Amino acid sequence: RSVLDTSEDLSHIVEKSHRHDESSAVQVMWTLLALLDRLTNMTSQGTILEASCAPLSTANAQLLLQTGLFRELVLLYTNTPEENENEVSRQTARVHLLRSLQTMCIQSVSLLGKYAWRVPDLARIVQSDEFAEQHVLDGMIWNLLGSNLAGGPVRLKIKGIPVVTATECCVRVMTGLERLCSNTETAMSKIRLLRTRTSNVFNDDNGWKESIQDVSRFTNYLVSCPSFATLWREVITANNESMQKVNATLDSLRNVLSELPRIPEPHKPTGTNAKKSSDNDKAGDPIDRPVSTYGENEVAAVRKAIKILAACNRADAPDGSSKTD
């Protein structure tokens, strides 16, 4: 509640920061991120902070617009220069700020989503092909919003921005899903390679984990945010082709998972063999249990995602309580 009570003052602070210099803007971003998580009761990974707290209400969304705080947050993102790989702090802050804006838009499609969708500078970024390729899930989310907003009276007709229809947004969502699936399959291939390696000495840059994090974030939104789940179901049930693509995606992921080496059950010797087995265990063995369990959490996340997406296909309410295989 403190964020809302001081939203007008925060609006002025944010305005000054992005009009001053880049370092000030980045510092303000980092300061605001935790506050925005509390405001929406969701993290940038789409998980609920406190089950007893409600998401952003219509009244609170109106207050964010009236005080100008939401406008300044959007401008803080768009006015901060594009990511520079040598400036990790700025790059990370921008990504998380954008995701906070996404969460607010998802929780208030008709107010905050409508406003953000019509901001020219933001539209140029999130509707670009480059953005869709580099930020697969973020691109999907903005197009999910567009599938609802682009077909109504807020259809984007601003000079310099191509007119985007709701149908085009739906197509882009499906394209994003295919990219997300392809990236996940690549990550599973990496896990398979690392599970079957013949040495404990290996080089893993962990870059492949980003696609798994996107999958987890996507399904977290489906479970934690009813309005997001509604938008998703509207897109995939719009026609048979979309439903077929989702089913094909799920089948492809299931096939990739089935090809992973199974995790062996630990052998527990008994009786006289127990000590002998213990004596033979060597920490330096080239293949030991940590090798075969590599990526266990990521595999579990993908299995969970398949279950939740399959439930959405059946028009069931996604339930995060289901256990992974």
Side-chain angles (χ1 to χ4, degrees):
R1 185 65 204 178
S2 60
V3 178
L4 295 169
D5 291 338
T6 59
S7 57
E8 191 167 355
D9 293 333
L10 286 174
S11 176
H12 294 314
I13 293 173
V14 175
E15 180 183 11
K16 290 179 180 179
S17 71
H18 66 74
R19 292 178 184 277
H20 190 256
D21 57 61
E22 289 181 28
S23 60
S24 297
V26 173
Q27 289 175 3
V28 169
M29 283 186 199
W30 283 117
T31 302
L32 287 173
L33 288 174
L35 297 177
L36 296 179
D37 284 353
R38 286 293 174 186
L39 182 62
T40 58
N41 195 36
M42 293 180 72
T43 68
S44 59
Q45 282 298 315
T47 54
I48 295 291
L49 288 176
E50 296 182 27
S52 60
C53 294
L56 198 63
S57 67
T58 299
N60 291 343
Q62 288 175 333
L63 184 60
L64 290 175
L65 287 176
Q66 291 169 359
T67 59
L69 179 57
F70 186 74
R71 178 190 68 246
E72 294 303 331
L73 289 172
V74 173
L75 291 176
L76 178 61
Y77 176 80
T78 58
N79 288 351
T80 305
E82 292 291 331
E83 296 98 310
N84 184 323
E85 60 182 12
N86 295 322
E87 298 181 27
V88 178
S89 178
R90 183 178 69 181
Q91 180 180 358
T92 305
R94 287 187 87 245
V95 168
H96 285 283
L97 176 59
L98 179 66
R99 291 175 181 175
S100 293
L101 291 171
Q102 285 175 346
T103 301
M104 288 188 278
C105 290
I106 290 168
Q107 292 183 349
S108 176
V109 177
S110 61
L111 290 175
L112 302 183
K114 175 182 175 180
Y115 180 93
W117 183 254
R118 301 182 73 179
V119 177
D121 288 341
L122 183 61
R124 288 189 183 93
I125 296 172
V126 301
Q127 291 181 26
S128 68
D129 292 337
E130 182 182 4
F131 182 87
E133 292 175 4
Q134 295 180 354
H135 308 281
V136 177
L137 180 56
D138 296 322
M140 284 180 63
I141 291 174
W142 285 109
N143 280 295
L144 267 178
L145 288 167
S147 69
N148 179 275
L149 295 170
V154 297
R155 182 174 174 178
L156 202 61
K157 294 183 180 180
I158 303 171
K159 185 177 180 180
I161 307 294
V163 175
V164 179
T165 66
T167 300
E168 289 171 333
C169 287
C170 291
V171 171
R172 291 180 181 184
V173 170
M174 289 296 104
T175 300
L177 180 66
E178 291 172 346
R179 282 187 180 134
L180 188 62
C181 175
S182 177
N183 292 345
T184 303
E185 289 176 358
T186 300
M188 293 296 101
S189 297
K190 179 75 171 182
I191 291 175
R192 182 172 64 248
L193 176 65
L194 292 173
R195 282 188 176 184
T196 57
R197 68 188 189 273
T198 58
S199 171
N200 280 343
V201 179
F202 68 101
N203 180 25
D204 180 16
D205 58 8
N206 288 326
W208 58 271
K209 292 185 178 181
E210 184 176 344
S211 61
I212 308 297
Q213 293 169 354
D214 276 351
V215 168
S216 295
R217 185 158 61 96
F218 180 44
T219 50
N220 283 341
Y221 274 127
L222 286 173
V223 171
S224 305
C225 193
S227 57
F228 184 83
T230 298
L231 289 173
W232 173 248
R233 278 195 285 265
E234 286 176 351
V235 169
I236 65 174
T237 58
N239 54 65
N240 289 333
E241 183 180 358
S242 295
M243 186 67 76
Q244 289 170 359
K245 284 186 177 181
V246 176
N247 287 329
T249 296
L250 295 178
D251 288 341
S252 181
L253 289 176
R254 291 187 185 102
N255 289 336
V256 172
L257 286 176
S258 69
E259 295 172 357
L260 289 176
R262 290 189 173 275
I263 298 174
E265 291 295 328
H267 178 61
K268 296 180 180 180
T270 57
T272 57
N273 292 328
K275 185 178 185 304
K276 187 181 296 184
S277 175
S278 176
D279 292 340
N280 291 333
D281 286 340
K282 302 294 182 182
D285 285 348
I287 299 295
D288 54 18
R289 181 159 174 74
V291 173
S292 57
T293 61
Y294 193 88
E296 189 171 6
N297 291 337
E298 288 76 18
V299 171
V302 174
R303 291 189 189 278
K304 180 178 179 181
I306 291 173
K307 288 186 175 183
I308 293 173
L309 287 170
C312 284
N313 276 18
R314 297 191 303 268
D316 299 337
D319 184 356
S321 63
S322 59
K323 296 180 181 179
T324 57
D325 291 338

